Amino acid sequence: MIWNPNKECMSRDEMSALQGKRLNKIVTYVYHNVPFYRHKLQELDIRPDDIQTIEDIKRLPFTTKQDLRDNYPFGLQAAPRSEIIRVHASSGTTGNPTIVGYTRKDIGVWSECMARCLTAYGISRNDTFSVSYGYGLFTGGLGAHYGVEHLGASVIPAGTGNTEKHLKLIRDLGITGIACTPSYALYLAETMDRLGITKDQIKLRVGAFGAEPWTEQMRQEIEERLGLKGYNLYGLSEIMGPSVSYECEEQNGSHICEDHFYPEIIDPVTLEPLPMGETGELVFTTLTKEGMPLLRYRTRDLCSLIPGDCACGRTSIRMGRIEGRSDDMLIIRGINVFPSQVESVVLGMQEFAPRYMLVVDRKNNLDTLQVQVELRQEYFTSTFDTPAAIDALEKKLANRLKSVLSISAKVQLKAPNTIERSQGKSAHVIDLRKL
């Protein structure tokens, strides 16, 4: 099934022409409405009329996560505040979240793109679909929710947590589709085993999984234990949220909604565009977004683009599986975590030396985070020399980390000079997950 054949099955010439028109329009829009972009374009001696075809995109400046932080909260917003009907936010490295505003048209585009994803998975208005991403500032919950409603299927806004009740609803309501992180899908399977519920007692047949890295082996285990077909779902709050790309039944890469989000692959060092098929950093330009349009946004995700028509009938460019990051960001239980966030907390507490290590693992199919941090010598030998004092300090640091990271971390205090040093670039992460 295809939700929007007019856009998902356009010829390359038609798509390129449409992208060129929309690029000129969005450049004109940000030039007149976002001082940041107007200044950047003027520095390059570029006027909106200089951008006529999609090939001209290479002349435009890049946008980075740091640009969003520097312009917190509304500096990159193009639409007037009166036109913003929703605000989402993602975590930042210095305590300030990335604020993203959406107009009514943006929400409509987002819902339509999400309906494309769901249709590619085989979901129709006859299905009952559970949205088990987090609701709130995170884009996952409401992004998938509005897409299900736009499609016309029944939506169950389950959110996260209360898994036993959720499983009861999955069984009793005959829920046929679910959107969640892959690690939560495996946690559902484990809870089913504990409660004695078998996959034959439920009707799940489609899973839309995203927000964290996962392997083909993990996909196979989820499919076997839940009795469904699992599909990739990709998005990021800065561009739109879930729906930027999606797998179809062929599962040979994820189709990009490229009439709205133009993809490029660049060398993360030279910033030069790479040929189709080569692995590099994924860059997106929003072609239709009103609230906070972005030009050539560096996602830091490493992947390749797949050309050619797909056997499903769609002609859109596909992106391969994410192979890593070009920066130090971690994705833990669907939350973006930067070592620098931990560093800012550690350096803000006088008890600790500026030596820390993040140990990420996956236990019982759920990501875990341990933060190891060295005590300063004077605190190690005097004040904090009892188990009770150590426990109190660990809890104090854990609470501060949770307020910044939005996830829980287990804290382990270390004696001075016990965290391994590096003679080169400092290494602050040990990732034991087999991703």
Side-chain angles (χ1 to χ4, degrees), residues 382-396:
S382 58
T383 309
F384 298 102
D385 57 354
T386 67
I390 292 293
D391 183 64
L393 184 56
E394 286 180 342
K395 289 180 179 178
K396 178 181 177 182

Side-chain angles (χ1 to χ4, degrees), residues 188-235:
L188 275 176
E190 292 174 348
T191 307
M192 284 174 58
D193 292 342
R194 179 167 55 82
L195 297 178
I197 299 174
T198 67
K199 63 183 179 182
D200 296 329
Q201 294 175 291
I202 63 176
K203 296 181 179 179
L204 282 178
R205 60 181 186 82
V206 170
F209 303 127
E212 66 184 11
W214 60 311
T215 62
E216 282 300 316
Q217 292 77 10
M218 197 171 181
R219 188 206 301 261
Q220 292 168 11
E221 183 176 353
I222 292 170
E223 291 180 339
E224 170 60 29
R225 297 180 69 176
L226 293 180
L228 50 69
K229 187 70 174 173
Y231 295 91
N232 260 322
L233 175 63
Y234 176 84

Side-chain angles (χ1 to χ4, degrees), residues 40 65 89 97-99 110 114 133 169 174 187 195 235 238 243 260 267 270 276 335 350 371 386 389 406 412:
K40 297 273 279 189
K65 187 89 167 183
T98 298
I99 302 295
W110 191 0
M114 190 66 209
Y133 287 120
L169 293 177
Y187 182 69
L195 297 178
E238 296 91 337
S243 75
H260 297 291
D267 183 309
T270 67
M276 188 72 68
I335 302 296
Q350 61 183 359
V371 176
T386 67
S406 299
Q412 183 181 58

Side-chain angles (χ1 to χ4, degrees), residues 22-88:
R22 289 183 168 178
L23 180 63
N24 171 264
K25 185 176 180 180
I26 207 70
V27 170
T28 302
Y29 180 60
V30 299
Y31 187 90
H32 292 293
N33 292 282
V34 183
F36 167 81
Y37 278 126
R38 182 165 58 251
H39 178 69
K40 297 273 279 189
L41 291 169
Q42 287 174 345
E43 280 186 332
L44 296 171
D45 196 25
I46 294 174
R47 301 278 299 178
D49 287 345
D50 297 330
I51 307 300
Q52 293 296 323
T53 72
I54 195 60
E55 292 301 317
D56 292 330
I57 199 169
K58 297 179 179 64
R59 303 177 60 186
L60 298 176
F62 291 102
T63 309
T64 66
K65 187 89 167 183
Q66 188 61 48
D67 293 326
L68 274 64
R69 299 187 195 112
D70 292 343
N71 288 276
Y72 173 88
F74 299 118
L76 291 183
Q77 187 170 287
R81 294 287 295 276
S82 60
E83 296 298 317
I84 299 296
I85 67 167
R86 190 195 298 173
V87 172
H88 282 286

